[in-house]
Amino acid sequence: MKGIWCFILVIVIVSCKKEKEYTVEDIQIINGYWQISDVLYPDGSEKKYSLSGTIDYIKLDSLKGYRKKMYPQLDGTYLTSDDAQNFYIVKKASKGFFINYHNELTSWQESIIYLEPNKFYLESAEGIVYRYKRFEPINIYEDGKTSE
């Protein structure tokens, strides 16, 4: 019986753990090149992306920026179109930071739920979680050596 109460106490303590609160400075981490690693759906299913021909370039200045699809090339360069999705980030009291997108056709919002220098997670209003990892290009020179 004593063991059960200890187990319940541990569960209560773990479930009450406060989530990390990010700052405006922390949000600047999302600047740069990112590739999607996997998507988690509300029903528990998951889709992994081992290789993708596109990556996202995110440029953030203060709390405004844009996101652009890039196509990495083997020589270390990128192809892209002139299309960019503008966004702005807002902080909602005790709910964290949200990325707000708007274009001529629609608008939507994603919540930043996890953030560290080499990965971040976004959650859509539908409960879909997108996991990103920092993109590391493979640069192959004509002599067959790769860049460091």
Side-chain angles (χ1 to χ4, degrees):
M1 185 70 160
K2 189 175 185 181
I4 293 173
W5 286 111
C6 288
F7 179 72
I8 292 172
L9 180 62
V10 168
I11 289 186
V12 169
I13 290 171
V14 170
S15 65
C16 292
K17 181 181 172 189
K18 186 176 179 182
E19 290 187 27
K20 175 160 172 41
E21 289 188 29
Y22 300 110
T23 66
V24 172
E25 291 78 25
D26 292 332
I27 300 301
Q28 302 307 309
I29 289 172
I30 69 170
N31 269 309
Y33 297 91
W34 296 91
Q35 67 185 54
I36 194 161
S37 60
D38 54 282
V39 177
L40 302 173
Y41 296 96
D43 66 2
S45 63
E46 182 176 357
K47 181 175 183 179
K48 294 215 178 271
Y49 290 85
S50 56
L51 267 186
S52 177
T54 63
I55 60 169
D56 288 338
Y57 174 70
I58 299 174
K59 176 65 177 163
L60 182 62
D61 184 15
S62 186
L63 293 177
K64 290 184 180 183
Y66 64 88
R67 181 184 213 159
K68 192 178 234 192
K69 292 292 182 195
M70 308 292 280
Y71 305 91
Q73 306 300 296
L74 291 176
D75 64 358
T77 61
Y78 299 92
L79 298 178
T80 187
S81 67
D82 288 333
D83 296 335
Q85 182 62 57
N86 292 318
F87 65 82
Y88 62 94
I89 297 177
V90 296
K91 179 167 176 42
K92 294 186 178 178
S94 76
K95 294 193 183 231
F97 286 91
F98 291 80
I99 301 176
N100 294 293
Y101 300 92
H102 179 76
N103 62 34
E104 302 79 34
L105 303 174
T106 188
S107 61
W108 70 98
Q109 186 178 74
E110 295 174 321
S111 172
I112 300 172
I113 59 172
Y114 183 79
L115 183 62
E116 66 177 48
N118 290 315
K119 61 184 168 182
F120 75 96
Y121 305 163
L122 298 176
E123 184 173 10
S124 72
E126 296 81 19
I128 301 170
V129 175
Y130 301 91
R131 292 180 175 171
Y132 289 86
K133 63 182 179 180
R134 189 152 315 264
F135 177 71
E136 295 182 27
I138 298 173
N139 188 356
I140 301 177
Y141 292 100
E142 290 179 15
D143 61 5
K145 296 181 180 177
T146 59
S147 68
E148 303 271 344

